Amino acid sequence: MEDGVEKKGKLNFKIVLITLLVLILAGAGAYFGYSKFLKGNDKSPNVAAQNSTSPVQTQQVSNQTGQTAQGGGSSSGYLQQVVSKYTFDLSDFTVNLADEGGKNYLKISVFLGYDDKKLTEELTDKKPMIRDAVIDILRGKKVADIDPKYMDSIKMQIIQKINPMLENGKLNNVYFSDILTQ
């Protein structure tokens, strides 16, 4: 009779051990699947239009060749994959941010990226209008919007606002440097 109890105890232990092993493997698989395929989808390269209160709205944007930026959950983002041949310095911007109290400001250097050299003259001629468009976008932001995870969205807003003004080519990227908020 002791053999039957001992075999039954070993069998129950094996079932519990196998069940725990299956649960651990299922949990590890679920974690891997989430982190690999789902976690990055909110940083989709299909970024863009965000208003001053909602930094998460997205829409598809076409690049210069007419191809639509496809969402793939890539954390690098569409704009980080585009390297422009030429850049145009819009100089520094210092703007008040839209936070309550009006005590916060942003100081930032902005460069426009493009591939068609003939666009340089047009950008020079339209620099005051372009600076005004960039100021309009930046003034609508809050300190919380000036966060690395929202910068591609701000860049896309700038591209979308400036490209309709241009006749000799299109922007394909915006570069920021010297970002300071206070």
Side-chain angles (χ1 to χ4, degrees):
M1 179 118 177
E2 290 179 21
D3 282 340
V5 171
E6 190 174 312
K7 284 183 180 180
K8 189 175 181 182
K10 284 184 179 181
L11 183 64
N12 284 340
F13 179 72
K14 286 182 181 180
I15 291 173
V16 169
L17 186 63
I18 290 172
T19 304
L20 282 174
L21 185 61
V22 167
L23 287 173
I24 289 171
L25 288 175
Y31 173 77
F32 173 77
Y34 171 76
S35 64
K36 184 74 173 174
F37 301 108
L38 298 177
K39 188 176 182 182
N41 280 346
D42 60 337
K43 297 176 187 172
S44 164
N46 301 347
V47 284
Q50 89 181 20
N51 60 29
S52 63
T53 59
S54 175
V56 188
Q57 295 176 351
T58 61
Q59 71 182 36
Q60 290 189 335
V61 181
S62 295
N63 65 12
Q64 182 175 348
T65 61
Q67 299 169 335
T68 302
Q70 297 295 324
S74 168
S75 62
S76 65
Y78 169 73
L79 290 176
Q80 293 176 357
Q81 296 172 10
V82 174
V83 178
S84 304
K85 276 186 177 178
Y86 306 102
T87 59
F88 184 80
D89 184 5
L90 286 179
S91 302
D92 292 341
F93 290 84
T94 303
V95 297
N96 290 328
L97 294 172
D99 291 296
E100 291 183 29
K103 295 182 180 180
N104 296 321
Y105 70 89
L106 168 69
K107 182 176 180 182
I108 190 168
S109 296
V110 179
F111 298 85
L112 305 177
Y114 55 97
D115 289 332
D116 195 351
K117 189 167 179 81
K118 64 183 177 182
L119 190 56
T120 304
E121 186 177 330
E122 184 178 7
L123 290 172
T124 303
D125 293 343
K126 295 183 177 180
K127 188 173 181 177
M129 291 178 284
I130 293 170
R131 283 186 55 85
D132 181 61
V134 172
I135 288 170
D136 187 46
I137 291 168
L138 295 176
R139 281 185 27 199
K141 303 299 172 203
K142 296 181 178 183
V143 172
D145 296 334
I146 311 302
D147 185 280
K149 62 185 171 186
Y150 303 130
M151 294 312 277
D152 275 352
S153 179
I154 295 170
K155 290 176 180 183
M156 290 305 293
Q157 286 181 350
I158 292 170
I159 290 170
Q160 289 174 339
K161 187 136 186 177
I162 294 173
N163 272 345
M165 297 178 196
L166 304 176
E167 298 169 6
N168 295 327
K170 299 293 178 198
L171 303 178
N172 62 7
N173 211 336
V174 174
Y175 302 98
F176 295 140
S177 66
D178 303 324
I179 302 170
L180 173 70
T181 57
Q182 185 172 349

PDB file of all heavy atoms in Angstrom, residues 23-40:
ATOM      1  N   LEU A  23       3.107  27.273 -17.149  1.00  0.00           N
ATOM      2  CA  LEU A  23       2.690  28.638 -16.823  1.00  0.00           C
ATOM      3  C   LEU A  23       3.852  29.630 -16.962  1.00  0.00           C
ATOM      4  O   LEU A  23       3.673  30.746 -17.463  1.00  0.00           O
ATOM      5  CB  LEU A  23       2.103  28.701 -15.412  1.00  0.00           C
ATOM      6  CG  LEU A  23       0.714  28.080 -15.236  1.00  0.00           C
ATOM      7  CD1 LEU A  23       0.320  28.064 -13.764  1.00  0.00           C
ATOM      8  CD2 LEU A  23      -0.307  28.834 -16.053  1.00  0.00           C
ATOM      9  N   ILE A  24       5.031  29.236 -16.515  1.00  0.00           N
ATOM     10  CA  ILE A  24       6.194  30.110 -16.630  1.00  0.00           C
ATOM     11  C   ILE A  24       6.528  30.350 -18.102  1.00  0.00           C
ATOM     12  O   ILE A  24       6.780  31.483 -18.512  1.00  0.00           O
ATOM     13  CB  ILE A  24       7.411  29.510 -15.875  1.00  0.00           C
ATOM     14  CG1 ILE A  24       7.160  29.594 -14.369  1.00  0.00           C
ATOM     15  CG2 ILE A  24       8.698  30.225 -16.252  1.00  0.00           C
ATOM     16  CD1 ILE A  24       8.173  28.850 -13.532  1.00  0.00           C
ATOM     17  N   LEU A  25       6.506  29.301 -18.914  1.00  0.00           N
ATOM     18  CA  LEU A  25       6.786  29.455 -20.339  1.00  0.00           C
ATOM     19  C   LEU A  25       5.717  30.317 -21.026  1.00  0.00           C
ATOM     20  O   LEU A  25       6.038  31.151 -21.875  1.00  0.00           O
ATOM     21  CB  LEU A  25       6.887  28.091 -21.017  1.00  0.00           C
ATOM     22  CG  LEU A  25       8.142  27.277 -20.683  1.00  0.00           C
ATOM     23  CD1 LEU A  25       8.062  25.889 -21.310  1.00  0.00           C
ATOM     24  CD2 LEU A  25       9.388  27.997 -21.153  1.00  0.00           C
ATOM     25  N   ALA A  26       4.459  30.127 -20.659  1.00  0.00           N
ATOM     26  CA  ALA A  26       3.390  30.940 -21.245  1.00  0.00           C
ATOM     27  C   ALA A  26       3.554  32.406 -20.846  1.00  0.00           C
ATOM     28  O   ALA A  26       3.367  33.309 -21.670  1.00  0.00           O
ATOM     29  CB  ALA A  26       2.027  30.411 -20.807  1.00  0.00           C
ATOM     30  N   GLY A  27       3.912  32.671 -19.607  1.00  0.00           N
ATOM     31  CA  GLY A  27       4.133  34.047 -19.148  1.00  0.00           C
ATOM     32  C   GLY A  27       5.316  34.688 -19.860  1.00  0.00           C
ATOM     33  O   GLY A  27       5.252  35.838 -20.277  1.00  0.00           O
ATOM     34  N   ALA A  28       6.392  33.937 -20.021  1.00  0.00           N
ATOM     35  CA  ALA A  28       7.562  34.463 -20.723  1.00  0.00           C
ATOM     36  C   ALA A  28       7.220  34.743 -22.191  1.00  0.00           C
ATOM     37  O   ALA A  28       7.619  35.762 -22.752  1.00  0.00           O
ATOM     38  CB  ALA A  28       8.734  33.483 -20.627  1.00  0.00           C
ATOM     39  N   GLY A  29       6.462  33.864 -22.802  1.00  0.00           N
ATOM     40  CA  GLY A  29       6.051  34.071 -24.191  1.00  0.00           C
ATOM     41  C   GLY A  29       5.151  35.285 -24.334  1.00  0.00           C
ATOM     42  O   GLY A  29       5.282  36.066 -25.280  1.00  0.00           O
ATOM     43  N   ALA A  30       4.225  35.450 -23.399  1.00  0.00           N
ATOM     44  CA  ALA A  30       3.334  36.614 -23.451  1.00  0.00           C
ATOM     45  C   ALA A  30       4.124  37.905 -23.266  1.00  0.00           C
ATOM     46  O   ALA A  30       3.887  38.894 -23.965  1.00  0.00           O
ATOM     47  CB  ALA A  30       2.256  36.489 -22.378  1.00  0.00           C
ATOM     48  N   TYR A  31       5.058  37.918 -22.337  1.00  0.00           N
ATOM     49  CA  TYR A  31       5.884  39.100 -22.116  1.00  0.00           C
ATOM     50  C   TYR A  31       6.705  39.425 -23.358  1.00  0.00           C
ATOM     51  O   TYR A  31       6.769  40.570 -23.798  1.00  0.00           O
ATOM     52  CB  TYR A  31       6.812  38.902 -20.914  1.00  0.00           C
ATOM     53  CG  TYR A  31       7.794  40.042 -20.755  1.00  0.00           C
ATOM     54  CD1 TYR A  31       7.381  41.255 -20.223  1.00  0.00           C
ATOM     55  CD2 TYR A  31       9.115  39.921 -21.178  1.00  0.00           C
ATOM     56  CE1 TYR A  31       8.261  42.318 -20.099  1.00  0.00           C
ATOM     57  CE2 TYR A  31      10.001  40.970 -21.056  1.00  0.00           C
ATOM     58  CZ  TYR A  31       9.577  42.163 -20.513  1.00  0.00           C
ATOM     59  OH  TYR A  31      10.442  43.210 -20.395  1.00  0.00           O
ATOM     60  N   PHE A  32       7.333  38.419 -23.955  1.00  0.00           N
ATOM     61  CA  PHE A  32       8.125  38.631 -25.163  1.00  0.00           C
ATOM     62  C   PHE A  32       7.251  39.164 -26.295  1.00  0.00           C
ATOM     63  O   PHE A  32       7.618  40.111 -26.983  1.00  0.00           O
ATOM     64  CB  PHE A  32       8.806  37.323 -25.582  1.00  0.00           C
ATOM     65  CG  PHE A  32       9.500  37.420 -26.909  1.00  0.00           C
ATOM     66  CD1 PHE A  32      10.719  38.062 -27.016  1.00  0.00           C
ATOM     67  CD2 PHE A  32       8.931  36.892 -28.056  1.00  0.00           C
ATOM     68  CE1 PHE A  32      11.357  38.171 -28.235  1.00  0.00           C
ATOM     69  CE2 PHE A  32       9.562  36.994 -29.276  1.00  0.00           C
ATOM     70  CZ  PHE A  32      10.776  37.630 -29.366  1.00  0.00           C
ATOM     71  N   GLY A  33       6.095  38.553 -26.479  1.00  0.00           N
ATOM     72  CA  GLY A  33       5.192  38.997 -27.537  1.00  0.00           C
ATOM     73  C   GLY A  33       4.741  40.431 -27.337  1.00  0.00           C
ATOM     74  O   GLY A  33       4.692  41.222 -28.275  1.00  0.00           O
ATOM     75  N   TYR A  34       4.413  40.793 -26.112  1.00  0.00           N
ATOM     76  CA  TYR A  34       3.991  42.159 -25.818  1.00  0.00           C
ATOM     77  C   TYR A  34       5.119  43.143 -26.073  1.00  0.00           C
ATOM     78  O   TYR A  34       4.933  44.143 -26.754  1.00  0.00           O
ATOM     79  CB  TYR A  34       3.527  42.270 -24.363  1.00  0.00           C
ATOM     80  CG  TYR A  34       3.287  43.689 -23.928  1.00  0.00           C
ATOM     81  CD1 TYR A  34       2.152  44.374 -24.331  1.00  0.00           C
ATOM     82  CD2 TYR A  34       4.219  44.362 -23.137  1.00  0.00           C
ATOM     83  CE1 TYR A  34       1.938  45.686 -23.951  1.00  0.00           C
ATOM     84  CE2 TYR A  34       4.015  45.678 -22.758  1.00  0.00           C
ATOM     85  CZ  TYR A  34       2.874  46.329 -23.158  1.00  0.00           C
ATOM     86  OH  TYR A  34       2.675  47.637 -22.787  1.00  0.00           O
ATOM     87  N   SER A  35       6.299  42.854 -25.538  1.00  0.00           N
ATOM     88  CA  SER A  35       7.406  43.803 -25.672  1.00  0.00           C
ATOM     89  C   SER A  35       7.905  43.904 -27.115  1.00  0.00           C
ATOM     90  O   SER A  35       8.334  44.960 -27.547  1.00  0.00           O
ATOM     91  CB  SER A  35       8.555  43.429 -24.739  1.00  0.00           C
ATOM     92  OG  SER A  35       9.090  42.174 -25.098  1.00  0.00           O
ATOM     93  N   LYS A  36       7.838  42.834 -27.864  1.00  0.00           N
ATOM     94  CA  LYS A  36       8.352  42.838 -29.235  1.00  0.00           C
ATOM     95  C   LYS A  36       7.353  43.438 -30.223  1.00  0.00           C
ATOM     96  O   LYS A  36       7.735  44.173 -31.113  1.00  0.00           O
ATOM     97  CB  LYS A  36       8.697  41.397 -29.635  1.00  0.00           C
ATOM     98  CG  LYS A  36       9.331  41.264 -30.980  1.00  0.00           C
ATOM     99  CD  LYS A  36      10.754  41.727 -30.953  1.00  0.00           C
ATOM    100  CE  LYS A  36      11.412  41.412 -32.283  1.00  0.00           C
ATOM    101  NZ  LYS A  36      12.722  41.938 -32.371  1.00  0.00           N
ATOM    102  N   PHE A  37       6.066  43.144 -30.074  1.00  0.00           N
ATOM    103  CA  PHE A  37       5.102  43.504 -31.100  1.00  0.00           C
ATOM    104  C   PHE A  37       4.100  44.583 -30.707  1.00  0.00           C
ATOM    105  O   PHE A  37       3.635  45.318 -31.556  1.00  0.00           O
ATOM    106  CB  PHE A  37       4.327  42.260 -31.545  1.00  0.00           C
ATOM    107  CG  PHE A  37       5.223  41.191 -32.097  1.00  0.00           C
ATOM    108  CD1 PHE A  37       5.464  40.033 -31.394  1.00  0.00           C
ATOM    109  CD2 PHE A  37       5.860  41.366 -33.308  1.00  0.00           C
ATOM    110  CE1 PHE A  37       6.293  39.053 -31.898  1.00  0.00           C
ATOM    111  CE2 PHE A  37       6.700  40.400 -33.818  1.00  0.00           C
ATOM    112  CZ  PHE A  37       6.921  39.236 -33.117  1.00  0.00           C
ATOM    113  N   LEU A  38       3.750  44.696 -29.464  1.00  0.00           N
ATOM    114  CA  LEU A  38       2.688  45.625 -29.083  1.00  0.00           C
ATOM    115  C   LEU A  38       3.177  46.872 -28.375  1.00  0.00           C
ATOM    116  O   LEU A  38       2.595  47.928 -28.522  1.00  0.00           O
ATOM    117  CB  LEU A  38       1.656  44.918 -28.199  1.00  0.00           C
ATOM    118  CG  LEU A  38       0.921  43.755 -28.850  1.00  0.00           C
ATOM    119  CD1 LEU A  38      -0.005  43.106 -27.851  1.00  0.00           C
ATOM    120  CD2 LEU A  38       0.159  44.208 -30.070  1.00  0.00           C
ATOM    121  N   LYS A  39       4.214  46.769 -27.601  1.00  0.00           N
ATOM    122  CA  LYS A  39       4.659  47.880 -26.766  1.00  0.00           C
ATOM    123  C   LYS A  39       5.028  49.109 -27.575  1.00  0.00           C
ATOM    124  O   LYS A  39       4.726  50.222 -27.194  1.00  0.00           O
ATOM    125  CB  LYS A  39       5.840  47.439 -25.913  1.00  0.00           C
ATOM    126  CG  LYS A  39       6.254  48.460 -24.888  1.00  0.00           C
ATOM    127  CD  LYS A  39       7.354  47.902 -24.026  1.00  0.00           C
ATOM    128  CE  LYS A  39       7.755  48.886 -22.963  1.00  0.00           C
ATOM    129  NZ  LYS A  39       8.846  48.379 -22.170  1.00  0.00           N
ATOM    130  N   GLY A  40       5.689  48.973 -28.711  1.00  0.00           N
ATOM    131  CA  GLY A  40       6.159  50.107 -29.493  1.00  0.00           C
ATOM    132  C   GLY A  40       5.104  50.726 -30.397  1.00  0.00           C
ATOM    133  O   GLY A  40       5.364  51.721 -31.030  1.00  0.00           O
TER     134      GLY A  40
END
